[in-house]
Amino acid sequence: MTDFLSASAGTWMIRRVVHHMDHQDDEAGDSNLTVAPFGTEDDCVASICAALGVDKNQACGGARFWWESNLKESERSEDRAAALVDVADREDPRQGFLLRDKGYVEKQAVVSRYRFDEEGVLTITTRYDTSVGIERCWFVTDQLRMRVSSVQCMDGVTMTTYCTERRCPTADDILSHARQTALREA
């Protein structure tokens, strides 16, 4: 998980489609997701572990996430943010638990189970009070990720989501590219 979070660092432009299986209209849209990994010394490790009754010494670091509009620049909001802490299985680091300060479906502290399959696909299963969320994410290339998810309640699947996530270049990336182009044209 540490490698996956590290590879996910940065800002991603997300194009998503959400299919509601009830009476709501389906949705499609774009947004940005910013991922900022952190180590075991980060303050939120102790607070999230304490909130969920887990020994902080089991933590392997984690990451903060922010969901933002890609149409306008705005302040980061805690309403559209989450932090997670990785607690890897000591015998098989391809699986473990993610401790989150708030879940995606129900906005409460939650423990998710994760595992990576042989091909590197990450599956996260989160059991909430009234539903189960299942999310799968994988890298197609270093710059492109895919993500699918579903939310299941007692009466069946209520929502599915499909996302294509493309890494946004940083200001340094753009300047470097401009310099290389100028050198080629000189």
Side-chain angles (χ1 to χ4, degrees):
M1 180 58 72
T2 301
D3 293 342
F4 187 87
L5 294 174
S6 182
S8 299
T11 300
W12 298 80
M13 193 284 286
I14 300 173
R15 176 149 292 157
R16 76 183 168 289
V17 177
V18 180
H19 299 289
H20 295 280
M21 305 303 173
D22 53 14
H23 303 292
Q24 296 181 42
D25 290 337
D26 290 347
E27 303 170 47
D30 297 340
S31 62
N32 287 345
L33 170 66
T34 300
V35 180
F38 54 75
T40 56
E41 70 288 341
D42 192 280
D43 291 340
C44 79
V45 171
S47 64
I48 293 172
C49 286
L52 291 165
V54 175
D55 178 2
K56 70 177 184 175
N57 294 318
Q58 293 181 318
C60 303
R64 286 183 179 75
F65 296 81
W66 292 272
W67 294 268
E68 303 165 328
S69 169
N70 63 357
L71 299 177
K72 59 184 177 188
E73 210 166 306
S74 60
E75 296 282 322
R76 286 197 171 146
S77 167
E78 290 306 309
D79 291 340
R80 295 181 308 276
L84 64 81
V85 173
D86 173 25
V87 178
D89 182 315
R90 302 247 185 247
E91 293 178 23
D92 182 1
R94 291 184 312 154
Q95 63 181 352
F97 295 96
L98 295 175
L99 315 178
R100 294 200 313 240
D101 62 344
K102 61 181 132 177
Y104 298 121
V105 178
E106 298 176 16
K107 302 299 182 194
Q108 62 187 5
V110 66
V111 177
S112 301
R113 181 100 180 131
Y114 75 83
R115 68 177 168 75
F116 288 92
D117 69 16
E118 300 78 31
E119 296 174 357
V121 176
L122 169 63
T123 300
I124 302 170
T125 304
T126 307
R127 298 187 185 286
Y128 297 99
D129 290 340
T130 61
S131 62
V132 176
I134 300 172
E135 181 175 24
R136 289 186 173 87
C137 185
W138 64 96
F139 284 89
V140 177
T141 69
D142 291 346
Q143 308 301 314
L144 182 68
R145 297 188 329 173
M146 307 300 280
R147 189 164 42 97
V148 295
S149 65
S150 65
V151 176
Q152 301 173 21
C153 294
M154 289 198 287
D155 58 347
V157 175
T158 60
M159 182 179 76
T160 61
T161 306
Y162 171 81
C163 300
T164 300
E165 302 175 340
R166 179 173 282 172
R167 188 185 308 271
C168 298
T170 66
D172 289 342
D173 293 337
I174 293 168
L175 290 173
S176 173
H177 184 70
R179 282 191 293 272
Q180 290 172 3
T181 300
L183 287 173
R184 278 195 306 267
E185 292 176 354

